[in-house]
Amino acid sequence: MTHMTDTAPAPGAASRRTAHTPDPRAARAARRRRTLHWIAVHALGIAAAAFFVLPFVFVVLTALMTDNQALTRSLWPHPFAWSNFRTVWDTPGFLTWWRNTLVYSVAGTVLTVVSSLPVAYALARFRFRGRNLVMVLVISTMMLPPQVVIIPMYLFWTKQLHMDGTLWPLIIPMAFGDAFTIFLLRQFLLTIPKEYTEAAKVDGCGELRTLLTVIVPMIRPAIAAVALFQFFACWNDYFGPQIYASSNPAAWTLSYGLESFKGAHHTNWNLTMAATVLVMAPVIVVFFFAQKAFIEGVTLTGVKG
């Protein structure tokens, strides 16, 4: 008589073993989905990058063409006319526009940061009656377009102070702070724990020394971010120089002088594009070297431990 052994699997054991065994087809499908997702994301990234880069590439290639070739459908310069940049640089007045723009941008940036930082520190750290009202007034000035007050400001600087034909009406007001810079620096200062400033005061530091020795090193990314914002705004400013400096070519900036250059060389698209590249180059170089601090300052939301 044959006896049945007790080696038969328990009910449900096969199903449990099957459940824990990975299905090769499902694994391949998952890898395929991840691969397709990676390709789709990078394809969209490359397309977006090309959308922003191609106009700049077109400007650079046109700047390297000869006079005759710039008026054709050719997209690739042959030969490369590197002398176009030298021609633009030697144009009368171009070096003056460059110097004026550099002075305007650097002076405006330094004055804005230096004047806005103490105000932001006071609004973030000091407790006084009407502080919230002051902050509301600062923010409200950001909603006021400059065109609204340009007429009384122009009359004040030109008729009362006789500063027309100069960049001083644009530089001097920056020594009294900027609403956007104050707001942004205040938001960064609010993320710094009060224990740091309290510990500095216990050690005998006054408010100014606390600001310079404790707070400023901690918010350097924020200062770099607002400084870059201000530098780019001054470098690209066209409206201000047009209002105050248009009567004096010796006070023109690159943004305003480029309009005059384009009018004088309206048929020489290669020279116009070369001048455009020379105007954009400093901004691109500054951002390339300062992008780490810029991005860190924009995304900073707390203090790193």
Side-chain angles (χ1 to χ4, degrees):
M1 187 173 182
T2 305
H3 297 280
M4 296 183 66
T5 60
D6 198 19
T7 59
S15 60
R16 288 195 299 270
R17 185 166 58 249
T18 303
H20 291 290
T21 303
D23 187 357
R25 290 178 297 179
R28 287 195 297 269
R31 287 195 298 269
R32 189 180 301 111
R33 285 195 299 270
R34 288 195 297 269
T35 303
L36 292 176
H37 181 266
W38 184 89
I39 294 174
V41 170
H42 285 74
L44 290 175
I46 293 173
F51 178 79
F52 289 100
V53 171
L54 284 179
F56 179 73
V57 173
F58 173 78
V59 170
V60 174
L61 292 178
T62 306
L64 294 173
M65 293 181 180
T66 60
D67 293 342
N68 296 330
Q69 191 178 8
L71 299 176
T72 64
R73 296 182 179 180
S74 178
L75 298 178
W76 190 260
H78 182 75
F80 286 87
W82 297 98
S83 59
N84 291 339
F85 295 102
R86 185 66 183 180
T87 302
V88 173
W89 188 261
D90 292 337
T91 300
F94 191 84
L95 186 59
T96 301
W97 304 341
W98 185 284
R99 183 179 63 251
N100 293 338
T101 306
L102 187 63
V103 171
Y104 175 34
S105 302
V106 173
T109 301
V110 173
L111 290 175
T112 299
V113 174
V114 171
S115 60
S116 300
L117 182 57
V119 180
Y121 178 75
L123 292 175
R125 284 290 186 261
F126 294 172
R127 303 295 180 187
F128 56 90
R129 182 178 299 179
R131 187 183 66 163
N132 294 333
L133 177 61
V134 173
M135 194 62 212
V136 170
L137 292 176
V138 171
I139 296 177
S140 63
T141 59
M142 298 169 54
M143 307 176 187
L144 191 65
Q147 291 81 4
V148 174
V149 297
I150 189 61
I151 294 179
M153 292 297 294
Y154 176 80
L155 294 176
F156 172 76
W157 288 106
T158 59
K159 303 302 182 181
Q160 300 297 326
L161 301 182
H162 305 287
M163 289 187 178
D164 55 319
T166 68
L167 295 175
W168 290 115
L170 302 174
I171 297 175
I172 294 177
M174 296 182 188
F176 299 94
D178 174 71
F180 176 74
T181 304
I182 293 172
F183 170 76
L184 198 59
L185 287 176
R186 176 182 178 272
Q187 297 307 111
F188 283 113
L189 288 169
L190 290 176
T191 64
I192 299 178
K194 298 179 181 178
E195 287 76 9
Y196 289 100
T197 55
E198 293 175 355
K201 292 178 181 178
V202 170
D203 291 338
C205 294
E207 295 293 349
L208 181 60
R209 186 177 177 185
T210 301
L211 174 62
L212 296 178
T213 60
V214 178
I215 300 300
V216 170
M218 298 178 67
I219 64 169
R220 280 183 296 183
I223 294 176
V226 297
L228 286 176
F229 277 129
Q230 188 64 32
F231 182 85
F232 294 158
C234 294
W235 188 274
N236 297 320
D237 186 17
Y238 177 83
F239 181 74
Q242 181 189 29
I243 295 297
Y244 293 106
S246 58
S247 61
N248 182 16
W252 288 0
T253 59
L254 284 172
S255 57
Y256 187 73
L258 184 62
E259 182 69 22
S260 174
F261 184 90
K262 185 178 68 175
H265 301 83
H266 61 278
T267 58
N268 304 109
W269 284 103
N270 54 337
L271 296 181
T272 302
M273 295 302 178
T276 304
V277 172
L278 291 177
V279 172
M280 294 189 300
V283 177
I284 296 174
V285 171
V286 169
F287 182 78
F288 178 79
F289 285 102
Q291 60 178 329
K292 181 178 179 180
F294 178 77
I295 295 174
E296 184 179 357
V298 172
T299 59
L300 182 64
T301 56
V303 179
K304 297 181 178 180

